[in-house]
Amino acid sequence: MKKLAVIYHSVNGHTEHIASHIAQGAASVTGTEVHVLKASELAGAPDALLQYDGVLLGSPTYLGGVSGVFKTFMDATGKMWRTQQLKGKLAGGFTVSSLPAGDKQSTLVSMFTFCMQHGMIWSGNPILPEQHAGVPYDEAANRLGSWSGMMAQAGHGTAAHEFAAGDIKTARMFGQGFAETLLRLR
């Protein structure tokens, strides 16, 4: 059994909603145990990460980067970096912003850099955009065309559950794909 942590921060519920769909996708893979954790809670106990084989990191994109709460969690792992305690764990990331681009790429790059500094193995988003196969844009998996991690768009001021169907579909596929990759390691 491989243990996977989906770690997120969410202010208005959008990132939490995507995290739940990623977790559902991952949990659909036999042999995977999935835990959904809040970054704010892990900031006080980062050693909890040691029990997981893989981590998926999720933050809203704020001003071109992770949220302050998520950054606090990342910074709390500093002592673990010195001894490379997270080395070899599989990692990936996801983010949500209210605009189609919204500088989400820089958020994923900051997560990637964080994971590389810890010696983790990054797994991107291998899902091909389905709109190229004729699927309507809002229904298409990976409609935003991100390969470095999973991106979703939540309209400004919308309810936490209001996403294009394609983003929900992508979240589930992303979680499933990550869990399948995790099972292939070690």
Side-chain angles (χ1 to χ4, degrees):
M1 183 70 76
K2 296 286 185 173
K3 290 180 75 173
L4 166 60
V6 178
I7 304 163
Y8 73 94
H9 172 244
S10 188
V11 174
N12 297 312
H14 296 102
T15 307
E16 180 177 26
H17 189 71
I18 291 297
S20 72
H21 287 283
I22 288 172
Q24 288 172 20
S28 74
V29 177
T30 303
T32 306
E33 180 181 321
V34 181
H35 298 253
V36 180
L37 308 167
K38 292 183 179 181
S40 59
E41 294 170 2
L42 280 177
D47 288 347
L49 293 174
L50 297 174
Q51 66 183 300
Y52 297 100
D53 301 298
V55 295
L56 279 169
L57 308 173
S59 172
T61 293
Y62 287 159
L63 300 171
V66 297
S67 67
V69 170
F70 200 84
K71 180 68 166 96
T72 298
F73 152 69
M74 291 166 63
D75 290 348
T77 66
K79 290 181 182 177
M80 299 170 80
W81 170 81
R82 288 184 189 4
T83 55
Q84 291 290 281
Q85 291 176 285
L86 300 175
K87 186 175 184 174
K89 292 186 183 294
L90 187 65
F94 60 98
T95 187
V96 177
S97 73
S98 63
L99 297 171
D103 289 329
K104 288 188 277 293
Q105 185 67 35
S106 56
T107 301
L108 292 172
V109 168
S110 70
M111 292 176 184
F112 168 80
T113 303
F114 165 77
C115 291
M116 293 300 96
Q117 288 184 353
H118 276 291
M120 294 191 230
I121 302 164
W122 188 262
S123 178
N125 182 9
I127 302 165
L128 290 175
E130 289 183 322
Q131 60 266 38
H132 297 293
V135 176
Y137 178 72
D138 282 347
E139 297 171 21
N142 198 11
R143 69 189 183 98
L144 298 175
S146 175
W147 287 268
S148 54
M150 194 255 160
M151 294 181 183
Q153 177 191 0
H156 185 71
T158 61
H161 67 279
E162 289 183 23
F163 282 89
D167 288 354
I168 300 302
K169 180 181 188 177
T170 304
R172 289 188 183 128
M173 291 171 72
F174 181 67
Q176 179 181 348
F178 187 88
E180 290 169 349
T181 300
L182 183 60
L183 287 175
R184 286 195 301 269
L185 294 179
R186 295 188 186 172

